[in-house]
């Protein structure tokens, strides 16, 4: 009598990184990089593009388990919320914020900044310092305030658990982490730019920077040694070439967010609470995954 075959290992959970746009279109879609993690190796799979927020929202809401890293803020600075007299409870604050038209958001935030001294116009979240991220109230270059306004309602409607702003939910089926590709890119490139939406600025120097960044991601080590994220990206040659060729950097940014999601997945697998976020996160503001709270 032949022995029964050994049980197959469970498939690694679906991971993805999302380069988000608050006003996507055919030329600037929402880009999603799918992948799987096996130990310290993250294998890039399919890349999806969504030219509408509705289409992206439908994909998020479809049945299935996932863990995604999203390049959009999950919360506003506490200082701003308190100054405006908005609800200090995150769900109520997001309900209030989502109900405002963008014109009202722009006018409100502009008035807040106008009343403040030069050099301190914007209020910041605590994560902005260690992550090097733009304030989530900024409405232009980049319009992250509108990314929050458009993106968080989609995640909530999809039934996702937003880590860092909602109470821990160890058994959540859909998990959203706030990611920021610039955090990982700067570890390799410093202040070198690797992307631009302006064709006139899609220079050979930026092409070389994308190649250098990908080389570091694939080997797991940059100019200063092993990457702090402790993960290595696995690509097919055609995927490597496509990432280098995308001078906008949108696909590469989605891949960087995928790696940050994989870092959170590894923390979850090791039973680290809250996917590795600091234990004292302000749940009104949220936190960018992989940002070091000690910096």
């Amino acid at each position: 009598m032949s022995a029964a075959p050994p049980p197959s290992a469970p498939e690694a959970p679906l991971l993805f990184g999302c380069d988000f746009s608050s006003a996507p279109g055919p030329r600037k879609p929402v880009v999603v990089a799918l992948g799987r993690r096996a130990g310290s190796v993250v294998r890039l799979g399919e890349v999806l593009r969504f030219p509408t927020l509705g289409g992206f929202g439908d994909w998020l809401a479809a049945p299935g388990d996932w863990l995604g890293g999203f390049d959009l803020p999950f919360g506003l600075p506490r200082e701003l919320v308190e100054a405006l007299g908005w609800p200090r409870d995150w769900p109520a604050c997001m309900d209030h914020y989502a109900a405002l038209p963008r014109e009202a958001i722009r006018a409100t935030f502009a008035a807040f900044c106008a009343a403040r001294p030069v050099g301190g116009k914007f209020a910041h979240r605590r994560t902005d310092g260690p992550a090097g991220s733009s304030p989530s109230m900024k409405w232009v270059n980049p319009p992250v305030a509108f990314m929050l306004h458009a993106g968080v309602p989609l995640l909530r409607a999809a039934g996702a658990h937003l880590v860092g702003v909602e109470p821990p939910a160890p058994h959540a089926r859909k998990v959203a982490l706030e990611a920021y590709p610039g955090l990982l890119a700067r570890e390799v490139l410093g202040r070198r730019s690797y992307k631009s939406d302006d064709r006139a600025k899609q220079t050979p120097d930026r092409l070389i920077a994308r190649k250098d960044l990908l080389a570091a991601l694939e080997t797991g080590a940059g100019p200063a040694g092993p990457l702090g994220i402790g993960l290595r990206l696995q690509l097919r040659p055609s995927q490597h070439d496509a990432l280098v060729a995308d001078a906008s950097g949108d696909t590469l940014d989605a891949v960087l967010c995928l790696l940050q999601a994989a870092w959170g997945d590894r923390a979850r697998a090791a039973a680290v609470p809250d996917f590795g976020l600091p234990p004292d996160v302000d749940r009104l503001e949220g936190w960018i995954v992989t940002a070091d709270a000690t910096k």
Side-chain angles (χ1 to χ4, degrees), residues 121-188:
K121 294 291 186 181
F122 291 100
H124 288 266
R125 297 183 296 162
R126 192 161 62 89
T127 193
D128 289 338
S133 51
S134 295
S136 60
M137 66 170 296
K138 194 175 183 184
W139 62 91
V140 66
N141 296 329
V144 285
F146 298 151
M147 293 164 68
L148 187 162
H149 186 259
V152 165
L154 291 180
L155 293 174
R156 298 177 78 191
H161 166 56
L162 282 75
V163 180
V165 289
E166 296 184 312
H171 304 296
R173 305 286 298 272
K174 297 179 178 182
V175 177
L177 293 166
E178 182 180 339
Y180 176 51
L183 175 57
L184 185 52
R186 273 199 305 273
E187 185 180 348
V188 177

Side-chain angles (χ1 to χ4, degrees), residues 85-215:
W86 289 0
R88 300 181 188 184
D89 175 71
W90 181 82
C93 185
M94 290 299 100
D95 289 343
H96 175 81
Y97 189 62
L100 296 173
R102 291 188 182 181
E103 294 77 10
I105 292 170
R106 182 185 292 107
T108 299
F109 289 178
F112 174 89
C113 292
R116 289 162 65 92
V118 174
K121 294 291 186 181
F122 291 100
H124 288 266
R125 297 183 296 162
R126 192 161 62 89
T127 193
D128 289 338
S133 51
S134 295
S136 60
M137 66 170 296
K138 194 175 183 184
W139 62 91
V140 66
N141 296 329
V144 285
F146 298 151
M147 293 164 68
L148 187 162
H149 186 259
V152 165
L154 291 180
L155 293 174
R156 298 177 78 191
H161 166 56
L162 282 75
V163 180
V165 289
E166 296 184 312
H171 304 296
R173 305 286 298 272
K174 297 179 178 182
V175 177
L177 293 166
E178 182 180 339
Y180 176 51
L183 175 57
L184 185 52
R186 273 199 305 273
E187 185 180 348
V188 177
L189 299 176
R191 293 294 175 179
R192 293 168 61 198
S193 176
Y194 61 96
K195 61 180 182 177
S196 178
D197 287 329
D198 184 345
R199 288 185 177 274
K201 296 180 180 179
Q202 294 174 354
T203 61
D205 285 346
R206 287 187 167 93
L207 173 65
I208 293 169
R210 289 194 298 279
K211 291 181 177 180
D212 290 345
L213 178 53
L214 275 177

Side-chain angles (χ1 to χ4, degrees), residues 44 185 188-189 194 207-221 227 232-246 251-253 255-256 259:
L44 178 62
V188 177
L189 299 176
Y194 61 96
L207 173 65
I208 293 169
R210 289 194 298 279
K211 291 181 177 180
D212 290 345
L213 178 53
L214 275 177
L217 297 179
E218 289 186 277
T219 61
L227 298 182
R232 181 170 64 83
L233 180 65
Q234 186 178 84
L235 300 172
R236 298 191 301 272
S238 59
Q239 292 174 322
H240 179 280
D241 293 346
L243 288 168
V244 169
D246 182 3
T251 315
L252 185 48
D253 280 350
V255 169
L256 290 166
L259 287 169

